[in-house]
């Protein structure tokens, strides 16, 4: 009698352990699939370029000039308020400008107040909803580049700034 009871208990535990093994296997496969899909989506979204006509001109100029890249940091971060549905939000953006050659680097440093004015005008007129998304930040970066280039063009006679880079971006 005792032997039959122990045999019955052993027979009942084997299917449960097989069920647990199958359950853990299924959960593992689902987790690996979710991780793989997430990684693929994150990596593939960066590959799709945004087509802007102004950006192509800047890229062609960068390829044609074989000069070394220099980065000119703005002396102060841009600190401004934007309204969001009756609520005021504080935004701080740290900016660096990419130029080619030492001549352009010294030229940029000479015209810092003019560049700061163009950037602050661009940033303070931005939409808070757009600034909350990565695509909106990219759009703001391109708009800032165009405004800086358009501001410097009459003064310097050429496009000096190749890229506007956000090195710090805080919204509260």
């Amino acid at each position: 009698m005792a032997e039959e009871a122990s045999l019955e208990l052993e027979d009942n535990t084997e299917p449960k352990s097989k069920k647990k093994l199958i359950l853990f296997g299924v959960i593992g496969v689902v987790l690996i699939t979710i991780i793989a899909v997430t990684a693929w989506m994150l990596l593939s979204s960066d590959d799709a370029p945004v087509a802007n006509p102004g950006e192509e001109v800047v890229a062609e100029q960068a390829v044609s000039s074989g000069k070394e890249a220099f980065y000119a940091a703005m002396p102060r971060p841009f600190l401004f308020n934007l309204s969001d549905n009756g609520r005021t939000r504080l935004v701080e953006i740290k900016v660096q400008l990419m130029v080619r050659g030492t001549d352009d680097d010294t030229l940029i440093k000479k015209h810092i107040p003019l560049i700061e004015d163009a950037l602050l005008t661009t940033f303070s007129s931005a939409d808070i909803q757009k600034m909350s998304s990565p695509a909106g930040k990219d759009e703001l970066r391109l708009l800032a580049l165009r405004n800086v280039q358009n501001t410097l063009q009459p003064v310097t006679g050429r496009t000096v700034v190749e890229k506007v880079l956000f090195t710090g971006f805080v919204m509260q």
Side-chain angles (χ1 to χ4, degrees):
M1 219 16 121
E3 291 176 14
E4 290 178 13
S6 66
L7 289 176
E8 288 178 13
L9 289 177
E10 289 176 10
D11 289 338
N12 289 338
T13 58
E14 286 182 23
K16 287 183 181 177
S17 65
K18 286 183 182 178
K19 288 180 183 177
K20 285 182 183 178
L21 183 63
I22 291 172
L23 181 65
F24 285 130
V26 169
I27 291 173
V29 168
V30 169
L31 286 176
I32 290 173
T33 305
I34 290 172
I35 291 170
V37 168
T38 304
W40 178 75
M41 289 175 62
L42 289 175
L43 295 176
S44 68
S45 66
D46 293 335
D47 295 341
V50 178
N52 288 328
E55 194 174 339
E56 292 172 2
V57 174
V58 172
E60 288 175 10
Q61 289 176 355
V63 172
S64 65
S65 68
K67 296 179 182 178
E68 183 180 2
F70 286 91
Y71 298 94
M74 293 291 104
R76 295 170 294 283
F78 294 92
L79 192 63
F80 54 95
N81 292 321
L82 291 177
S83 62
D84 180 28
N85 297 330
R87 180 177 164 213
T88 303
R89 306 225 12 206
L90 181 68
V91 180
E92 179 185 67
I93 302 175
K94 294 180 184 176
V95 176
Q96 289 194 7
L97 305 173
M98 187 174 107
V99 296
R100 295 283 176 176
T102 55
D103 296 337
D104 289 348
D105 189 36
T106 55
L107 193 61
I108 286 296
K109 291 177 182 172
K110 182 179 176 182
H111 295 290
I112 290 283
L114 188 62
I115 295 167
E116 284 181 331
D117 177 61
L119 288 173
L120 190 58
T121 303
T122 303
F123 295 153
S124 62
S125 65
D127 183 22
I128 195 75
Q129 299 300 327
K130 286 184 180 179
M131 291 175 73
S132 300
S133 70
K137 289 177 188 174
D138 288 339
E139 184 180 325
L140 181 64
R141 189 178 299 119
L142 289 174
L143 182 63
L145 174 65
R146 279 190 233 118
N147 286 347
V148 167
Q149 287 176 340
N150 291 341
T151 302
L152 287 176
Q153 182 73 27
V155 176
T156 62
R158 57 192 168 98
T159 57
V160 180
V161 178
E162 188 174 322
K163 282 188 179 180
V164 172
L165 306 166
F166 293 163
T167 56
F169 196 97
V170 178
M171 272 194 318
Q172 293 182 346

